[in-house]
Amino acid sequence: AVGKAGLTEKEVNLGVAEILRELLAGYGATVVMTRRGDTDLLPEGIVGPLRDDLAARVDSATAHPEADIFLSIHHNNLGAPDRRYNATETYYRMGDNGPSLDLARYLHRQLVRNIGLRKNYIRPGNYYVLRNNRHPAVLGEASYLSHPGVEKKLAGEAARRIEAYAYLLGI
């Protein structure tokens, strides 16, 4: 997704994830990132469908059976700029009304408190990285990049840091 001013979702997602990684490491956590740069997880020189990249992300998590959680960080987009709609949405692995739903509730509560959006939802998700994951798995859509005000805020580190702290508190 790309905001009207050109800010890319992948840039914001990775920025929030890197800040969160530093925060968690500061508390002694071992953090495994599925990516550390603007890359996919396919072998070098291989171009494949999105499903292959998603499968590689799940395989990366599966390679760490000792991991406690899987968190996928995102920012939603309506496809066109819209000042009227913005929400925090947290998706948990469909059918896992135990650990994944619990994790979603903890994360969501902190995202709502710290980002402050009135519209917010916790929903079961049938996304590839959730349904194929062995760990408690959550996909967070903290806000909508298609909202011009959100895009402007997320262009700076302060908003990304607030979001990362919210995830930290939820974890």
Side-chain angles (χ1 to χ4, degrees):
V2 180
K4 184 178 180 181
L7 183 64
T8 63
E9 180 188 14
K10 64 183 180 179
E11 174 187 350
V12 177
N13 298 348
L14 186 58
V16 171
E18 285 289 352
I19 294 167
L20 178 57
R21 181 189 59 77
E22 291 172 15
L23 293 170
L24 287 166
Y27 282 95
T30 300
V31 179
V32 177
M33 303 278 287
T34 57
R35 69 183 182 105
R36 296 293 304 272
D38 185 12
T39 59
D40 59 31
L41 296 184
L42 299 175
E44 191 169 332
I46 302 294
V47 177
L50 175 62
R51 182 181 179 96
D52 290 348
D53 182 60
L54 296 175
R57 292 175 194 277
V58 172
D59 290 346
S60 174
T62 302
H64 298 277
E66 74 285 0
D68 295 311
I69 66 169
F70 178 88
L71 172 61
S72 189
I73 296 173
H74 296 270
H75 295 83
N76 222 330
N77 194 322
L78 294 173
D82 189 343
R83 291 189 179 280
R84 296 168 297 166
Y85 192 80
N86 195 13
T88 297
E89 299 165 345
T90 307
Y91 297 89
Y92 62 95
R93 184 175 57 229
M94 185 179 288
D96 181 2
N97 293 329
S100 292
L101 177 56
D102 289 343
L103 176 61
R105 287 177 174 152
Y106 293 131
L107 294 172
H108 189 77
R109 181 180 305 122
Q110 295 302 326
L111 287 169
V112 170
R113 283 182 180 168
N114 288 280
I115 296 172
L117 299 180
R118 285 188 189 177
K119 290 184 181 177
N120 59 85
Y121 310 95
I122 297 175
R123 297 179 170 145
N126 193 26
Y127 299 108
Y128 189 95
V129 296
L130 297 181
R131 75 174 172 266
N132 292 293
N133 216 300
R134 293 182 183 165
H135 304 292
V138 170
L139 187 148
E141 298 273 10
S143 56
Y144 273 68
L145 193 57
S146 52
H147 186 286
V150 169
E151 180 184 14
K152 185 175 180 180
K153 285 181 186 176
L154 288 173
E157 186 177 336
R160 296 177 193 189
R161 188 161 291 281
I162 289 169
E163 187 177 320
Y165 271 108
Y167 280 118
L168 173 72
L169 293 170
I171 293 168

